Amino acid sequence: MALTGCAITFTSLYLAAGALTPLLVLYKEQWNFPAALLTLAFAVYAIGFLAAILTLGSLSDHVGRRPVLVGALILQLVSNVMFLLAPDIGWVVTGRIVQGVATGAATTAFTAALIELAPPNRKRLGTILGSVGLTGGLGLGSLLAGLAIQLTTTANSIIFIALAIITILGIVVIVLSPESVSRTPGALRSLIPSVAIPFAARREFAAAAPVIASIWMLAGLSGGLAPSMVRSVFHLDSGLFNGLSGFVSPATSAVIGLVFARLDPRRAMTLGIYASLIGAIGIIDGALTGSLAIMISGQAIAGVGFGASFTASLRLILPLAVEHQRAGVVAAIYVVSYIAFGVPIIIAGELADAHGLAPTVVWYSAGTILLALISLGAQQLLGRNTRNAIGSAASSDPRSDGASMAERDDIQPVPATPPTGIR
């Protein structure tokens, strides 16, 4: 029961984050503010999230899961009330920052708690619930909000009253759930951000960083610009299509992240890069031809790229760092991810006001293609170097008898998921 309640509560955080995707378009119609403010309201979530996860990401390891989760859920409730009562876009921007802080503070604690509360022989279930709850919640929140906009005239009230009730119930669930870790010293020290890439992981990180930035930029486009395009570029006054444009990419990435979890990470990374390239080209084609179907197809393929590449990047980079270094590596990955998620979309909002939304989307997507191509070249080089190293080791190691290094007993398996704490 505690595991189910925690999983639903965790998913509700990302339902709320996803719900803002089509609602921001509704706010723009009601309050008549420029596109730059819409993308700002979308992107400031990343600022709050990144600040929280860098400072509070490991706090629950020291003070326990429940205090951190209850505090984060109270902040989440505050943001829901702010959105419910918002009289203008300023309240929404502030609410998005509060929402980002709440989600960032809760994410690592919830991820850890889900694994710890899972039955001893089903710990992978906790990991799966965390993964699906995050990306699936974002997509489902956008789709449900789009349906509410399409079918009712009080979508904002319906959505945030429902989310507020779920959050209150979630607080009760967390309070009644057993504490899954013991308190340990070092809580204050854990608040100091730690971002570092050890020497052994630097080449792999440098090769992955451009595509990480690319796929997170495309994720920002799906949430920050694509819903606006439904009306301004494709001339469809449809809350449902607004929600669908924000749903398809995270929903696809949630499925692909699970499907590709057991695929060789280098191969998964390469397939993900190709998918992100094709997806970005599809988005460009949709913007230039005025075809919503092509753009949404491009977003779906970009979602494949996200699910494959991001999971693969974690599996390629993290094993190269020893345990006490991995927090700094994960922090560095989050910094790249959320800067790419937030900053370019704010710039795109400014450019959209000056040059139009469709041209901005074209140049924005072209930027993601360039980044992905840089990573593709780096991945191919690393792959060749790895194969050469394995071949040399196999021929010189008497224990191998012609077997590959991957088959040796002293090679550790690559974990399919990142560590639960940021530090």
Side-chain angles (χ1 to χ4, degrees), residues 243-341:
L244 182 63
S245 66
F247 163 80
V248 63
S249 180
T252 306
S253 68
V255 175
I256 292 299
L258 296 176
V259 171
F260 279 30
R262 294 188 180 276
L263 191 67
D264 172 73
R266 185 74 64 197
R267 184 180 180 192
M269 171 66 84
T270 303
L271 291 174
I273 292 173
Y274 280 121
S276 68
L277 289 168
I278 296 169
I281 292 170
I283 292 170
I284 290 173
D285 191 15
L288 290 176
T289 61
S291 171
L292 178 61
I294 293 176
M295 189 192 77
I296 288 181
S297 298
Q299 288 179 271
I301 298 171
V304 172
F306 188 107
S309 295
F310 193 65
T311 302
S313 68
L314 296 170
R315 295 172 62 201
L316 288 167
I317 297 168
L318 292 179
L320 300 176
V322 297
E323 186 174 351
H324 73 274
Q325 297 173 328
R326 288 180 182 172
V329 174
V330 175
I333 292 171
Y334 271 114
V335 168
V336 173
S337 300
Y338 277 89
I339 288 176
F341 183 75

Side-chain angles (χ1 to χ4, degrees), residues 25 29 226-238 242:
V25 179
E29 295 173 3
S228 296
M229 294 176 67
V230 171
R231 179 161 186 165
S232 60
V233 175
F234 305 118
H235 310 295
L236 293 172
D237 186 9
S238 171
N242 287 346

